[in-house]
Amino acid sequence: MHDHMMPSSPSTPTRIRRRRTQDVIFPELSKLNGGHLLMDDQNKYRTMWIRTYSSLWMLISIIIILYLGHLYICAMVVVIQIIMTSELFNLLRRTDEDKCLPGFRQLNWYFFFTGMLFVYGRILSQQLVNTASIDEFSYKLVSKVIKYQMVFCYFLYIAGLVWFILTLKKKTYKYQFGQYAWTHMVLFVVFTQSSFTVANIFEGIFWFLLPASLIATNDVAAYFFGFFFGKTPLIKLSPKKTWEGFIGGSIATMITAFLFANVLGRFPWLTCPRKDLSTGWLQCDPGPLFKPEYYSIAGLTRWFPLKEISILPVQWHALCLGLFASIIAPFGGFFASGFKRAFKIKDFGYYIPGHGGFTDRMDCQMVMAIFVYIYYQSFVPQDYSIDMILDQIVRNLSFEDQKTLHHRLGQIFRQRQMTNY
């Protein structure tokens, strides 16, 4: 019996020692975990306040630029495009290869400004003609430049292509062709899409301000809903995005779209299209989209003191913009998140504290800008003025063609008069 009992006696204190060790370790681990959680919360709130201050700074700057008018807003867009392009060009830069290729960085910017000349020349052609119409010589000169602008830009591009081929060096072929492809990707995906913002501005600041506000509203609302209620991950590309933030941001964006469109639609300065490149204040008769329609709510007088409400027709269009801004446009941000993961970077730049670079803020705006342009051209009734049509006739038809048009219009009018009688 004693021989069987001997091995068990030293095992008893060994078990006690393990329990004591565990009792000592677990409280330390809990303290460490608590410390990490506290640090995470502090960093979380610190980041939120930095983002809030930066957002307020951007909001004040944009309000001042909006007050200055169309041309200043377009200038702001161009500056942002240049900064975004710089951020993206720098992603694939290699200092060693660039030192061996003097002037190669300038080639990227050459293609950028050639693209800018082409795109903005097409978008602003009508405004340029209207601005130069006060002087016959200027009018003819600008008309000729616009007529041959595409040819001019094409040969500028060909000159850039020849420049690129002449700079090719044996040991840097792969790097140079990679930069060439990257430059064209930046021009196509970033610059061309965001350039439609300028086209929207000249149709009326309303068509720039409302979509941009909806993107910002969705971004802020999704951030705060996710911050306070987020538990369910939305997409692996962006781990901080949650379903709660996505749904809450979408609801807030739709409500904002409907209400904010009613407010913005009351100001002619925001709704009037700019037909030239002047900087004066605009006054115009509101189009059908901005004339209020009244709906009776007599059946709801028990809850509301009003008997009728006024709704602008543009508010129904605003709901479509809000739907796109809340559901589709965020995928521009997801695309950017995947892009940053591919290059193993946190942000595209550092210009905006708490937000990163301008590309980090404009990823959804680019997707929204081209959608607004297509939507406006496809579904919003266009107001073609007689002066605009006459200008196209004078600018594009020869004198003989103008006489033929005048003769055929006379025939059409006489036929209609005979039909009426």
Side-chain angles (χ1 to χ4, degrees), residues 47 177 289:
T47 302
F177 276 101
L289 286 177

Side-chain angles (χ1 to χ4, degrees), residues 218 221-222 225 242-253:
N218 184 71
F225 274 100
T242 62
W243 275 104
E244 291 81 4
F246 184 79
I247 295 172
S250 299
I251 295 172
T253 302

Side-chain angles (χ1 to χ4, degrees), residues 10 25 45 68 101 129 208 238 284 344 373 382 391 398-399 401-402:
I25 289 173
Y45 280 98
L68 294 175
L101 301 168
V129 170
F208 160 76
S238 190
C284 64
K344 298 180 181 179
Y373 179 82
Q382 304 294 312
D391 176 74
S398 65
F399 182 69
D401 291 336
Q402 292 176 28

